[in-house]
Amino acid sequence: QAPRMQRRGRVHLGWRDDMADDGRLFATMDGSPSVFSIDAAFLQWLPEKAGDFRERRLFTQNLKNLSKRLSSVHYKDTHQEFRVDLDQVKGWKLVEPAVDDTHQVAFTNYVSGVLGFVASEFVDEETMPALDKEVIVLTFGYSDGTPSTNIAIGGLVPDSDPLMMYARQDIGSIVTLPFQLYQFIKATPFTFRNKQLFTFEAPAVTEVNMLLEGTRYVLKRELGQWSV
């Protein structure tokens, strides 16, 4: 089957039809002598500025099946760096530094939040073709052989109100982000460690020994009731 020929046309929008109850909009097509009216709601789909149709997410890749492809996240800021790898059996695991108590929910929520970062504005490439400094860099590794990608947070946007930070998308474009997103992405290895003092199953406990100010207390559970 022969491919269909693509045709392009130019629509000229006119003024609103004040006589119509639904406030329709006059329009015409290039090369056509006729004038027709369209729903004025069409205006809300038109861009107000050049960047309105640009990808605003910091992480611009398709998120479909990403959970099956993402294999590591490397974090680096001006004071430290660490890496979290995906173990197919144990899940996410801090490997640099290596620990055995990585909090799965905390790290998963962190990654999900970062992948949802949306830029506020695009920065003119002639004004700033690249970040002048990288405060935080997140590098994502993939198990399917796809080259690693990274996003970065830069410095404060001068005289911004509310506070904004410069950032770089994984495709290289420089954008601005609200300061609170910088606060979210800033992390340490401790952020993703399990902070529970005890990891046993509470229903399995039948006796608790405590030493308070030199006095020893023993609590025992019998038939579902605790006694000292």
Side-chain angles (χ1 to χ4, degrees), residues 2 18 34 37 78 105 108 115-116 130 145 147 157 162 168 183 201 205:
D18 295 330
S34 61
S37 64
T78 53
V105 175
T108 300
L115 296 184
V157 178
R168 185 183 66 237
Q183 294 175 305
E201 295 291 335
V205 178

Side-chain angles (χ1 to χ4, degrees), residues 83-98:
R83 196 177 87 237
V84 185
D85 285 355
L86 181 60
D87 185 291
Q88 295 301 321
V89 177
K90 297 182 179 180
W92 291 106
K93 186 176 181 180
L94 276 159
V95 294
E96 294 179 6

Side-chain angles (χ1 to χ4, degrees), residues 143-154:
S143 59
D144 61 358
T146 303
S148 62
T149 58
N150 66 74
I151 59 176
I153 306 296

Side-chain angles (χ1 to χ4, degrees), residues 123-132 167-168 171-175:
V123 178
D124 186 355
E125 294 183 359
E126 294 183 0
T127 303
M128 180 179 287
L131 286 180
D132 55 352
R168 185 183 66 237
I171 55 177
S173 299
I174 308 302
V175 297

Side-chain angles (χ1 to χ4, degrees), residues 80 82 94 97 99 101 103 106 187-195:
Q80 62 177 344
F82 59 88
L94 276 159
V99 297
D101 58 356
H103 197 296
T188 69
F190 186 68
T191 305
F192 307 117
R193 297 190 64 176
N194 193 330
K195 300 171 181 63

Side-chain angles (χ1 to χ4, degrees), residues 22-63:
D22 56 358
R24 297 178 69 81
L25 193 70
F26 288 117
T28 186
M29 293 284 295
D30 262 359
S32 172
S34 61
V35 175
F36 54 91
S37 64
I38 60 175
D39 191 335
F42 175 75
L43 293 175
Q44 69 182 353
W45 299 106
L46 298 179
E48 294 182 1
K49 48 187 179 297
D52 285 353
F53 285 162
R54 295 181 66 179
E55 172 63 81
R56 288 180 173 268
R57 293 177 302 149
L58 243 62
F59 186 88
T60 63
Q61 293 193 43
N62 191 337
L63 299 183

Side-chain angles (χ1 to χ4, degrees), residues 122-225:
F122 288 92
V123 178
D124 186 355
E125 294 183 359
E126 294 183 0
T127 303
M128 180 179 287
L131 286 180
D132 55 352
K133 62 178 178 179
E134 296 179 344
V135 177
I136 297 175
V137 179
L138 277 186
T139 302
F140 303 93
Y142 307 97
S143 59
D144 61 358
T146 303
S148 62
T149 58
N150 66 74
I151 59 176
I153 306 296
L156 279 170
V157 178
D159 304 321
S160 55
D161 184 19
L163 280 178
M164 292 283 175
M165 302 286 291
Y166 288 117
R168 185 183 66 237
Q169 293 176 300
D170 56 3
I171 55 177
S173 299
I174 308 302
V175 297
T176 62
L177 283 179
F179 181 74
Q180 58 264 32
L181 296 186
Y182 160 75
Q183 294 175 305
F184 178 91
I185 199 174
K186 187 174 177 59
T188 69
F190 186 68
T191 305
F192 307 117
R193 297 190 64 176
N194 193 330
K195 300 171 181 63
Q196 287 182 290
L197 294 180
F198 302 104
T199 57
F200 54 78
E201 295 291 335
V205 178
T206 58
E207 182 175 311
V208 178
N209 286 266
M210 296 186 296
L211 185 64
L212 300 175
E213 297 181 350
T215 302
R216 183 171 178 266
Y217 299 88
V218 179
L219 290 81
K220 292 186 176 181
R221 186 178 65 175
E222 296 179 348
L223 301 177
Q225 300 294 321

